[in-house]
Every structure is written in C-alpha cells, then in structure tokens.
C-alpha cells in the first residue's frame, strides 16, 4: 500500500506503508479531506471525522513557590462563574511525576527545566473556552490563582506564581459524536 501527497511544488509517492497517522485538529482534517476527493472516496470515516465541529481550548501551566497538597492529582472545575460557561481540569504534575506515582527527583527537576523544584507545578485546561479566549495571559493566571484553584483547594491561597505559560487553541478539540 502507499500514500501520495501533493503540494504546490509537486507530488510525492510513499510506498510500502502499513498505515498513516493524521495528527490533525478538526479544522485541519476538514482541510485535508476537502482538498482530496480521492481520500474522501477511499476513507468515508475520515469524512465523518472532518465534519465534527471544534471547541476552543486554553492550556495553562503554573509553577508555584510552594507545594500544595490535594486529595487527588487530577481534578475538575465545573459551574464556577469565573469559567464563563467553560469546563476545566487541573492536574498536579508534581504529584503525578513524584514518588507516589513512581517518579523521583529527576522527574521533578525536569518539571522545573532541570532546576531544583520550588513547589507545585499545575497544568490547567479550559474546554469550550470561547468566552475566555479574549482574556490576557495575566487574567487567565489571576482567574486560576484568585478564584478557581483556592475555591477547589484552599491551600492554593498561600501559593504564589513563580512562572506561567498560557496557550490558546481555537477550534482545536473536536466535538465527539456517535
């Protein structure tokens, strides 16, 4: 079996393949299938995937100056006014990569770019986050540190942000359909 790819510069054929992985969001899949009648004809399941809508996602990572203990390392935000209709999750990466889950000092240092850990590292994701997409990075971090995280786990109220990273992915996560 094989795969042909075409671009403005020409086309290329790859042969002897057992499979192909398309790591695309819903918009990308729609573009690929929409640009290839041959693919649409050969793979109707990809046409179905291409027709799924996408939701906006914000991903944020927070490095804190103190360790915050939580009951579980994986947690959910729901029905908070500050979410503006979005849903969210937060994961305690220092717990998930620490000794309780088979990690060690090296894994914890890796969370801090090879430096000595200063506190917890938290990964927060907001799904269906269209109403939050216009917030500045600082506002996203403040919403987490002042509203959401302390309401979920009071220990976050004594933590300060050492560093943060916020990324926005408009329409990147597909709706799921049966």
């Amino acid at each position: 079996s094989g795969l042909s790819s075409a671009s403005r510069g020409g086309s290329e054929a790859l042969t002897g393949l057992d499979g192909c992985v398309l790591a695309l969001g819903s918009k990308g899949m729609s573009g690929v299938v929409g640009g290839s009648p041959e693919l649409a004809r050969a793979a109707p399941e990809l046409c179905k995937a291409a027709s799924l809508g996408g939701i906006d996602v914000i991903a944020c990572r927070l490095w804190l100056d103190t360790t915050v203990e939580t009951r579980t390392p994986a947690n959910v935000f729901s029905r908070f006014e500050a979410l503006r209709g979005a849903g969210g999750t937060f994961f305690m990466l220092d717990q998930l990569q620490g000794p309780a889950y088979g990690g060690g000092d090296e894994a914890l240092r890796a969370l801090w770019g090879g430096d000595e850990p200063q506190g917890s590292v938290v990964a927060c994701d907001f799904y269906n986050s269209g109403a939050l997409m216009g917030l500045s990075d600082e506002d996203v971090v403040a919403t987490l540190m002042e509203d959401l995280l302390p309401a979920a786990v009071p220990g976050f109220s004594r933590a300060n942000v050492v560093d943060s990273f916020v990324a926005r992915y408009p329409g990147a996560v597909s709706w799921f359909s049966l």
Side-chain angles (χ1 to χ4, degrees):
S1 64
L3 174 72
S4 296
S5 67
S7 65
R8 292 185 184 118
S11 64
E12 181 179 352
L14 302 171
T15 58
L17 301 177
D18 292 326
C20 174
V21 175
L22 298 174
L24 302 168
S26 58
K27 286 183 181 178
M29 180 66 78
S30 181
V32 168
V33 173
S36 175
E38 295 85 7
L39 179 61
R41 186 172 33 261
E45 64 279 4
L46 293 181
C47 293
K48 289 179 182 177
S51 70
L52 294 173
I55 60 171
D56 300 332
V57 175
I58 296 175
C60 180
R61 187 169 289 189
L62 303 171
W63 289 264
L64 305 178
D65 67 347
T66 188
T67 299
V68 178
E69 298 297 329
T70 61
R71 189 174 58 81
T72 62
N75 302 276
V76 174
F77 293 125
S78 178
R79 298 186 185 144
F80 286 92
E81 188 174 323
L83 289 171
R84 302 179 184 185
T89 57
F90 70 97
F91 298 92
M92 304 301 296
L93 299 183
D94 55 305
Q95 291 178 26
L96 289 169
Q97 295 183 18
Y101 289 89
D105 292 340
E106 187 175 319
L108 293 174
R109 276 194 297 279
L111 288 172
W112 287 86
D115 295 336
E116 193 63 30
Q118 297 179 38
S120 288
V121 180
V122 188
C124 306
D125 299 314
F126 299 108
Y127 301 94
N128 195 31
S129 61
L132 300 171
M133 295 294 273
L135 294 177
S136 68
D137 290 358
E138 294 79 15
D139 288 338
V140 170
V141 172
T143 297
L144 283 162
M145 292 303 297
E146 296 169 14
D147 297 326
L148 299 173
L149 289 168
V153 178
F156 280 105
S157 63
R158 63 180 171 78
N160 296 297
V161 175
V162 174
D163 199 3
S164 64
F165 175 77
V166 178
R168 291 165 181 77
Y169 303 98
V173 174
S174 63
W175 287 92
F176 296 94
S177 177
L178 298 177

